[in-house]
Amino acid sequence: MLTINLIREQPDAVVERLKIKNFDAAGIVSTVLDLDRRRRELQAENDAVQAELNNLSREIGSMMKEGRKNEAETAKSGISKLKENQKQLSESLDEVSRAMQDELIRLPNLPHPLVPAGKTAEDNVTVRSGGTLPELFDGAAPHWDLIKRYDIIDFDLGIKITGAGFPVYKGKGARLQRALVNFFLDEGEKAGYREIEPPIVVNEDSGFGTGQLPDKEGQMYHVGIDNLYLIPTAEVPITNIYRDVILDASDLPIRNIGYTPCFRREAGSWGSHVRGLNRLHQFDKVEIVQIAHPDSSYEALEEMVTHVEGLLMKLGLPYRIVRLCGGDISFTSAMTYDFEVFSAAQQRWLEVSSTSNFEAFQANRLRCRYREKGAKQTTLCHTLNGSALALPRIVAALLENNQTPDGIRIPAVLVPYTGFELISCPT
RNA sequence: GGAGAAAUGGCAGAGUGGUCGAUUGCGGCGGUCUUGAAAACCGUUGUCCGGGCGACUGGACCGGGGGUUCGAAUCCCUCUUUCUCCGCCA
């Protein structure tokens, strides 16, 4: 959520910047400004009447104390009209404030000036790439065939137990999952992140804080009986640690990392290009989250990008880093880098991480603020997060790129975690 | 799941209808003293929304929401959470 101050002070700049996101904000901005003006008028009136009521009550109080009963009764009878007036004022004030909030919430975050214009993923800008595209041997297969051949991931079993998009990992497949999670967590801790194991269901306030609610409830699994949501990403619980928190400037940046399963309904986003591990309802992900000082949040973003890039290099996967264009960047983000790995048998780039700076947009919803040493006033923090990394597509690329006629080679960095170097046919 | 108790500022803990945004202690910050530090002493110390260039000033907030009353931290209703006991249990 953008702050009302920003809109009040630079309405034209807001409208202009949002054009990069292909969002026409002019209508909302002018409505917000009207409502804001109305709100302040109403508050001034309401406060004045309230002040008068407070004074009268105090006077009645002292009359009662001094035993001037009759005077007090007279004063009481004269107060009802004021009360009626105040009630109406405060109701209008609530109404206008709520209306303003509802409008404000519809505005996306402003994109950073470096965000390129554009409509679709075609317009994203490749920042850099690394690794070498593998040459596959004749008979190389896509991962959905490999997982059957080596009996490591079972979609049919998942359908039996739960439904489509809930795979069962078996044997070396399960072990590989565990290895990747541990590898990612260990690398994160080496880079200064504190490990968090959060709840994987969250309440409405948390969903609102990070921006999933009120708009995207259709994308989350909802536990109706308790009104809780299964998390679509660890970003939600880990960022919400800092909801309604005032930090010291010296605490920043805060670096947290957490592994969780993630749950996404993915309503309406299925098709032939999402075969196998490319899109799931439940998947594992290690997420990094930073709470940063506004002056250095883009340094934090670069640091996160470097970290994620390091993981891909260590795994030996060919990757590219793209800066998302205005049309492809999310509602809440100011700047996003997507990381894609090349999956050789599919001949496709697969997104494995999305690393973003939300600036103060989430922090405003979260009321996550910091205070400079000795200062009285508080300022909104900047929040950032990134996948480091999401497992399924990493697994897809590892299986496809590292396949040999004898089996699938495990990258050297993972061998201490898996305890094996090769996934071969079950005998 | 059953029965009871409770929820107050960073923490502890007073306050049961009238200048209470709230006594006090601890912690924090500033100062005096000291070569420095500690101790002692003095002062200060919540958040949010308005008005004002500013000094300053109006309003809201005592777990959330609603109600009673001229007036609510205090009374009533409701929800949530915590604690104790019992039951169940990884």
Side-chain angles (χ1 to χ4, degrees), chain A residues 134-421:
Chain A
E135 297 281 327
L136 293 187
F137 59 96
D138 273 350
H143 71 268
W144 47 84
D145 291 337
L146 295 171
I147 58 174
K148 282 189 182 156
R149 183 183 308 163
Y150 297 111
D151 194 26
I152 49 175
I153 303 175
D154 194 326
F155 279 93
D156 295 333
L157 203 45
I159 287 166
K160 173 186 173 184
I161 300 169
T162 306
F166 292 91
V168 176
Y169 303 85
K170 302 192 291 191
K172 285 183 173 174
R175 183 78 187 227
L176 178 59
Q177 292 289 117
R178 190 150 55 90
L180 283 164
V181 168
N182 283 334
F183 169 66
F184 293 150
L185 286 172
D186 286 353
E187 290 295 310
E189 285 195 71
K190 277 187 224 163
Y193 289 86
R194 175 183 61 157
E195 186 174 347
I196 299 285
E197 185 180 310
I200 60 174
V201 291
V202 295
N203 58 29
E204 272 184 325
D205 284 347
S206 293
F208 178 83
T210 33
Q212 281 70 29
L213 297 176
D215 268 354
K216 296 171 200 142
E217 57 265 87
Q219 293 298 329
M220 289 191 288
Y221 289 95
H222 183 221
V223 186
I225 193 170
D226 293 310
N227 196 24
L228 297 172
Y229 295 86
L230 271 66
I231 58 170
T233 158
E235 164 199 346
V236 179
I238 295 180
T239 309
N240 270 281
I241 293 173
Y242 302 95
R243 171 153 49 84
D244 278 314
V245 166
I246 300 175
L247 298 154
D248 286 335
S250 60
D251 295 334
L252 304 175
I254 290 170
R255 297 183 183 88
N256 285 325
I257 186 169
Y259 153 70
T260 67
C262 300
F263 302 89
R264 298 188 183 179
R265 296 190 62 238
E266 302 289 4
S269 62
W270 294 85
S272 61
H273 61 294
V274 293
R275 264 189 97 171
L277 293 167
N278 292 354
R279 177 155 295 158
L280 300 172
H281 284 311
Q282 177 181 333
F283 62 96
D284 292 311
K285 179 161 63 65
V286 172
E287 183 80 2
I288 49 179
V289 174
Q290 289 209 28
I291 312 293
H293 193 287
D295 292 347
S296 54
S297 66
Y298 280 91
E299 288 162 36
L301 183 62
E302 287 309 314
E303 180 193 301
M304 291 166 76
V305 165
T306 305
H307 177 70
V308 174
E309 187 176 13
L311 297 175
L312 294 173
M313 293 193 306
K314 284 176 186 166
L315 290 173
L317 290 168
Y319 65 89
R320 64 182 188 193
I321 305 174
V322 301
R323 184 183 293 138
L324 296 192
C325 73
D328 209 21
I329 198 172
S330 78
F331 186 83
T332 43
S333 174
M335 165 100 91
T336 297
Y337 291 99
D338 270 8
F339 292 72
E340 301 175 337
V341 297
F342 193 72
S343 207
Q346 298 183 68
Q347 290 287 302
R348 286 186 56 213
W349 290 95
L350 301 177
E351 182 194 329
V352 292
S353 173
S354 193
T355 299
S356 307
N357 187 355
F358 303 96
E359 296 191 10
F361 194 81
Q362 274 184 339
N364 190 33
R365 288 178 158 226
L366 292 160
R367 294 172 301 276
C368 171
R369 293 152 292 168
Y370 71 94
R371 201 192 321 260
E372 298 291 351
K373 188 172 167 60
K376 189 160 171 58
Q377 113 207 58
T378 60
T379 312
L380 292 170
C381 298
H382 282 190
T383 63
L384 305 93
N385 66 55
S387 346
L389 286 161
L391 267 67
R393 295 173 189 160
I394 291 286
V395 170
L398 280 179
L399 296 179
E400 293 186 10
N401 297 10
N402 292 12
Q403 60 185 308
T404 71
D406 299 325
I408 291 156
R409 242 180 341 95
I410 299 298
V413 289
L414 286 182
V415 171
Y417 293 94
T418 55
F420 53 81
E421 295 176 15

Side-chain angles (χ1 to χ4, degrees), chain A residues 13-51:
Chain A
V14 167
V15 172
E16 203 52 40
R17 294 267 299 279
L18 284 178
K19 285 182 184 165
I20 294 286
K21 283 199 174 181
N22 307 310
F23 188 93
D24 180 7
I28 298 179
V29 164
S30 93
T31 307
V32 164
L33 287 174
D34 283 347
L35 288 167
D36 182 46
R37 221 169 293 134
R38 183 89 189 103
R39 176 184 129 253
R40 285 145 81 191
E41 283 167 14
L42 281 167
Q43 185 176 342
E45 287 180 55
N46 180 63
D47 285 1
V49 174
Q50 188 62 256

Side-chain angles (χ1 to χ4, degrees), chain A residues 54-67 72:
Chain A
N54 288 346
N55 284 332
L56 285 172
S57 291
R58 262 188 288 262
E59 281 174 32
I60 292 173
S62 46
M63 288 176 196
M64 300 292 257
K65 226 178 217 169
E66 293 161 21

